[in-house]
Amino acid sequence: MTRNIHHQYIQRCLDIAALGIPKAYPNPMVGAVIVHEGRIIGEGYHQLYGTGHGEVQAINSVLPADRHLLPHSTIYVNLEPCAHYGKTPPCADLIIKEKIPKVILGASFDPNPSVAGKGIAKLRAAGVEVITGVLEQACIDFNRRFFKWMQKKRPYVILKWAETKDGYFAPADASQKWISNPLTKRLTHRWRSEEASILVGTNTALIDNPQLNVRLWAGHSPTRLVIDRSLKIPSTHHLLDQSIPSIIYNENKSIVSDNLSYVKLDFTIDILPQILDHLYTQNIQSVLVEGGSHLLSSFIDADLWDEARVYIGNTTWGKGLPAPILDRRCVVEEEELGGDELVVLRRV
């Protein structure tokens, strides 16, 4: 029974932490719930990078009439409380200051070297009871972008494409032909609002003239990333309109500005690690790859992908450019969407 209650409150932490997408980036998404004798007396989540973390928001939300209950309460958090001074003071110190006697955590550790067990150690040294590992895998999966960024020193890479029932990605003549339906297009815009950046290659930029913003969903537009080796994209194209922060990867120049930057790469060697290294230095924690078949296959061939989201349209072409292929053993989700099928795959 106690285990189920712990699960319930950690799940609540995850539910409210999700409200921080994507404004908490590059920090992890953290929710906290304070419980006294079966009643939630406070809860909060990390709302914006540089502001108070979930534990701070939860403690601050406790009503004055309930403040005296904190030394007799339990705080649930989906990730280890920080123990260092960053943009805000340590959350572990605040829990100790408020005399909260029990902390129950989802993930057993924070992969940030500045935390990495230090928060738990500080709490236990102060006499606080700490229980870890409640819904642990769910908590790690929830912050998988943050874990990847910390552990692999690169952003979390999501590949996205649509293909026909018979496995074609695009017409052979490079013309435009829609595969997905309006519902799946709207979902794509929601996905864009949840990620830090979005990447396409030169051909996609030239042929489609995409905006790569969020129009069919309320939310944040990701930083636009374009591979344009020889700077072929006309200044009249949307990607150069400076309406959204954009980065052009090329072999000619490096210029940094607020909404349109050029980053020079060495195209004589593999550019994908160079791009991911650059994004890591810019604190860009995730990238949604919406490029053409060649770009998508390049990430697959280099084993530089973490997740793929594939729409399978309710249509057949009989011919065309074949879609990229991934191991079906990586499938974690399948869903029907207005006649189309959504397949989500993750690397193990």
Side-chain angles (χ1 to χ4, degrees):
M1 183 67 171
T2 300
R3 181 180 176 85
N4 290 336
I5 291 296
H6 289 346
H7 284 190
Q8 174 186 325
Y9 290 128
I10 289 295
Q11 184 59 55
R12 176 61 182 170
C13 291
L14 296 177
D15 291 342
I16 60 177
L19 298 173
I21 301 174
K23 293 182 178 180
Y25 297 158
N27 280 352
M29 296 173 289
V30 176
V33 175
I34 303 172
V35 180
H36 177 265
E37 295 183 354
R39 179 169 71 93
I40 294 176
I41 63 171
E43 63 179 21
Y45 65 96
H46 188 28
Q47 300 177 19
L48 180 67
Y49 177 65
T51 64
H53 298 173
E55 300 94 321
V56 175
Q57 302 292 348
I59 289 170
N60 288 344
S61 76
V62 177
L63 296 174
D66 287 333
R67 296 288 299 189
H68 71 286
L69 299 177
L70 285 174
H72 312 284
S73 299
T74 298
I75 185 167
Y76 292 82
V77 193
N78 59 290
L79 194 64
E80 178 183 4
C82 61
H84 66 293
Y85 282 86
K87 289 185 176 294
T88 59
C91 293
D93 287 0
L94 180 62
I95 292 170
I96 293 167
K97 177 185 174 184
E98 296 293 341
K99 297 182 172 58
I100 299 174
K102 189 171 185 177
V103 178
I104 297 178
L105 303 177
S108 298
F109 70 100
D110 184 323
N112 184 346
S114 297
V115 185
K118 298 180 180 69
I120 292 173
K122 180 177 280 192
L123 291 168
R124 285 176 172 161
V128 178
E129 180 184 359
V130 181
I131 296 174
T132 66
V134 178
L135 293 181
E136 180 158 31
Q137 192 57 52
C139 290
I140 292 172
D141 288 345
F142 178 74
N143 268 312
R144 57 190 179 274
R145 296 162 182 80
F146 177 72
F147 275 76
K148 180 66 64 174
W149 191 63
M150 279 292 172
Q151 294 173 333
K152 297 297 184 180
K153 309 301 181 188
R154 69 163 174 82
Y156 188 83
V157 177
I158 303 169
L159 310 179
K160 175 262 171 184
W161 72 85
E163 63 182 64
T164 63
K165 262 188 175 180
D166 50 351
Y168 292 104
F169 177 87
D173 61 3
S175 62
Q176 282 187 315
K177 194 172 182 180
W178 289 108
I179 297 175
S180 55
N181 62 43
L183 177 62
T184 54
K185 287 175 65 176
R186 186 174 177 85
L187 179 57
T188 293
H189 282 241
R190 192 194 85 182
W191 288 344
R192 290 178 180 179
S193 76
E194 296 171 348
E195 305 307 331
S197 66
I198 182 170
L199 172 67
V200 296
T202 309
N203 288 338
T204 298
L206 290 174
I207 295 169
D208 295 348
N209 188 18
Q211 298 181 61
L212 300 187
N213 59 10
V214 175
R215 302 183 303 282
L216 304 178
W217 193 267
H220 152 92
S221 288
T223 297
R224 301 184 297 201
L225 312 173
V226 188
I227 300 172
D228 186 12
R229 178 174 182 171
S230 303
L231 299 177
K232 294 179 179 179
I233 301 172
S235 60
T236 53
H237 271 40
H238 295 305
L239 294 175
L240 302 183
D241 64 13
Q242 301 193 48
S243 62
I244 299 167
S246 304
I247 300 172
I248 313 299
Y249 292 108
N250 69 98
E251 66 178 358
N252 297 320
K253 62 183 180 180
S254 287
I255 301 173
V256 178
S257 66
D258 289 341
N259 270 15
L260 182 59
S261 296
Y262 292 83
V263 174
K264 186 176 179 179
L265 302 180
D266 182 356
F267 279 78
T268 65
I269 59 176
D270 191 354
I271 63 168
L272 297 187
Q274 297 178 68
I275 291 172
L276 297 183
D277 285 347
H278 176 258
L279 295 177
Y280 178 76
T281 67
Q282 301 303 303
N283 285 341
I284 293 178
Q285 198 177 93
S286 64
V287 55
L288 178 64
V289 182
E290 285 198 17
S293 179
H294 176 72
L295 180 60
L296 291 161
S297 295
S298 295
F299 275 95
I300 294 170
D301 293 342
D303 282 333
L304 287 174
W305 68 281
D306 302 293
E307 185 172 321
R309 301 170 184 177
V310 184
Y311 293 131
I312 301 176
N314 190 22
T315 184
T316 57
W317 288 355
K319 62 180 180 178
L321 183 66
I325 297 175
L326 288 174
D327 190 337
R328 292 287 299 186
R329 289 175 296 180
C330 295
V331 172
V332 295
E333 180 183 341
E334 293 181 272
E335 182 180 357
E336 190 273 334
L337 291 170
D340 291 348
E341 182 183 5
L342 170 63
V343 179
V344 178
L345 306 95
R346 287 196 195 127
R347 290 187 66 188
V348 293

